[in-house]
Every structure is written in structure tokens, then in C-alpha cells.
Amino acid sequence: MYNAIDLSKYIVSKCVTDGHPISNLQLQKILYYIQKDFLQRDEVAFSDNIEAWQFGPVVPNVYYHYCGFGAMPISIIKDAFSIVSSDSIFINKIVEEKRNLNPWDMVAETHKEDGAWAKVYRNGLGNHCIIPIELIKAVG
């Protein structure tokens, strides 16, 4: 298991190195997809909480770590982080697939009506509330 900041450093580094830098919004969605993938394999990718924010699932400490970039791509690699090679197979697949999507399409995907975000966010009533990992595993 990783912490979300370290995992985000790996993701950002990979994207910058591959010539496909991503925004903080994209990073948040990619972290969510990675956590969901790990949970479906009865593992946990990272221990940090994911919260239901207006534009979808957010890992707050990662959001604030990269918020200085605004909506622009995160183009600076600081303290790159390495992950276990067996995890990189799953993580790289998600990163490479999702980084090419329009960020707003990822927002729409994570906002699906019966999904974990929608069940917690509830039209703003659950804004900034934690999305339980059990719910992410059950309904994505």
C-alpha cells in the first residue's frame, strides 16, 4: 500500500516523462480509478481518504499539493517515486488509458448516478464528505 502523495508523484513523473502531462483534475480521477482497480482485487492502493467534491472524487492532500498549477498540466517532476513492478502493470495501464481522455469526460464518468461519488455527494449535501472504500469497491 502507498500513500496518495507518493503514488501521485509516480503518476505525474510518468506522464511528464512520457510527454503527456496531466492536470490536477485528471490526477484526481486517475487516483480514484487506481483505488477502484485495487479494491476490486481486494487490495488498497493508498490509505488516504477520497472525498466527494463538486467535480468528483478528490484526495484532498494531493489536491492541495498540486493546486498551484491550477487547471494547467503539472509539468514539474519533484521527488519522483518508484512503485513495485507488479503494481506498475495495473497502474500504468490505467494512467495510459485515462490521461488521454477529456478531463470533463472523466468527471462525467465518476458522476454516474448510482456510483460512489453520487451516493455520497447527494447534490452537494455530502460535499467534502469521505467516500468509504467499501462503497467504491461495491459500486465504483
Side-chain angles (χ1 to χ4, degrees):
M1 179 173 22
Y2 304 96
N3 70 55
I5 290 286
D6 287 341
L7 188 54
S8 69
K9 288 176 183 177
Y10 173 80
I11 295 164
V12 167
S13 175
K14 175 172 178 38
C15 290
V16 170
T17 301
D18 290 353
H20 294 282
I22 57 172
S23 68
N24 199 351
L25 181 67
Q26 289 170 295
L27 176 59
Q28 295 299 323
K29 304 309 163 251
I30 288 169
L31 285 169
Y32 182 78
Y33 293 125
I34 289 170
Q35 184 73 293
K36 181 176 134 185
D37 178 74
F38 271 65
L39 291 170
Q40 290 172 343
R41 291 183 283 115
D42 293 322
E43 297 178 41
V44 176
F46 54 87
S47 56
D48 310 66
N49 288 324
I50 299 175
E51 295 182 359
W53 287 20
Q54 180 181 3
F55 296 117
V58 170
V59 181
N61 59 333
V62 173
Y63 172 82
Y64 292 118
H65 185 80
Y66 290 105
C67 70
F69 288 93
M72 300 300 294
I74 303 165
S75 56
I76 298 171
I77 300 172
K78 289 191 204 176
D79 305 321
F81 184 79
S82 296
I83 59 173
V84 176
S85 62
S86 58
D87 290 340
S88 70
I89 296 166
F90 301 105
I91 292 170
N92 289 348
K93 182 177 183 253
I94 293 167
V95 171
E96 291 166 6
E97 175 187 332
K98 300 297 185 181
R99 71 183 176 195
N100 294 319
L101 297 176
N102 179 301
W104 299 107
D105 290 342
M106 286 196 289
V107 168
E109 191 176 320
T110 58
H111 282 208
K112 67 181 181 178
E113 192 172 312
D114 292 331
W117 174 87
K119 289 180 179 294
V120 172
Y121 190 72
R122 300 180 331 258
N123 294 317
L125 295 174
N127 190 29
H128 290 249
C129 290
I130 294 170
I131 304 172
I133 59 172
E134 298 80 14
L135 188 58
I136 296 169
K137 181 177 181 178
V139 297

